[in-house]
Amino acid sequence: MPNGLEIAVAVQALLAIWIGVRSYGSYQGRLYSTGRVLIFPVLILLVYAATELETIATVPWAFPTWTSVDLVVLVAAALATLPIANRLVRVSQRSDGQWYYQYGIELIGFYLALWVARLALAAYYDPASLEFVISSTAAPLSAATSAVLVLIQGLFSVSSGLVIGRGIGTYRLHRQAERRAASVVAQAR
């Protein structure tokens, strides 16, 4: 019977495959749907909330100061990504009338680098943190490990903010492109 860490590693591997396939598709261009563009940020927010709760439980001194900092970083990263999305996301209507969106490699690469760095730090310094198990019976963490866990959560705040900003930016770009296309059609009449 697999233990919690083996299950966590398997889940992380499946997540890595899903993120890789999704990233490749987003780089090549994907059929636009509001659900497709916004579901990933919603899922990331749920995972983010779970990891934030885990950090509070395993590194109690991080609350409320570092938790507040994480939230500020999350919002700042999302807001900073909005104008970047205007340059690194392309939304277009193809000849078949369908809308597509395409992410720039810079946006994908930055997100993947943050994700891998966070995962590597967690795997090295606190593999149990990958299990999403909140336990008060765990051995106390060293100051260095606690600091690394706070850094890991900060990296996750940045990458989560990037995903949220990218999703909102893509949605906004699609709405603007639809309005421009409707305006062109109206002027042609």
Side-chain angles (χ1 to χ4, degrees):
M1 179 137 202
N3 66 27
L5 185 56
E6 290 170 345
I7 292 170
V9 169
V11 167
Q12 291 291 338
L14 289 173
L15 185 60
I17 292 167
W18 181 61
I19 288 172
V21 168
R22 198 170 188 292
S23 295
Y24 180 75
S26 297
Y27 176 70
Q28 294 296 317
R30 299 177 71 104
L31 181 64
Y32 178 89
S33 91
T34 301
R36 177 179 285 160
V37 167
L38 298 180
I39 192 72
F40 191 59
V42 169
L43 291 174
I44 287 293
L45 274 177
L46 292 174
V47 172
Y48 179 82
T51 59
E52 197 63 51
L53 287 173
E54 182 184 27
T55 300
I56 291 168
T58 57
V59 189
W61 58 263
F63 183 80
T65 305
W66 283 108
T67 302
S68 300
V69 169
D70 287 341
L71 290 172
V72 168
V73 169
L74 174 86
V75 170
L79 292 174
T81 303
L82 286 172
I84 294 169
N86 289 336
R87 293 190 316 252
L88 299 178
V89 175
R90 202 173 81 205
V91 174
S92 59
Q93 190 173 27
R94 305 264 169 98
S95 59
D96 63 359
Q98 297 288 329
W99 288 95
Y100 286 81
Y101 66 97
Q102 184 177 11
Y103 293 152
I105 193 70
E106 304 89 348
L107 206 52
I108 293 168
F110 186 65
Y111 173 75
L112 290 176
L114 286 174
W115 188 77
V116 168
R118 181 185 67 83
L119 188 59
L121 286 170
Y124 183 78
Y125 284 98
D126 188 24
S129 71
L130 299 174
E131 297 180 49
F132 292 104
V133 174
I134 298 175
S135 171
S136 60
T137 61
L141 300 173
S142 70
T145 300
S146 295
V148 169
L149 291 180
V150 170
L151 173 65
I152 290 167
Q153 192 60 27
L155 289 172
F156 195 38
S157 296
V158 173
S159 65
S160 298
L162 184 144
V163 168
I164 292 164
R166 178 183 72 186
I168 293 168
T170 303
Y171 174 79
R172 288 173 49 191
L173 287 169
H174 174 254
R175 298 287 300 189
Q176 291 169 359
E178 277 186 322
R179 282 194 295 271
R180 279 193 306 271
S183 174
V184 168
V185 168
Q187 289 177 358
R189 290 183 185 172

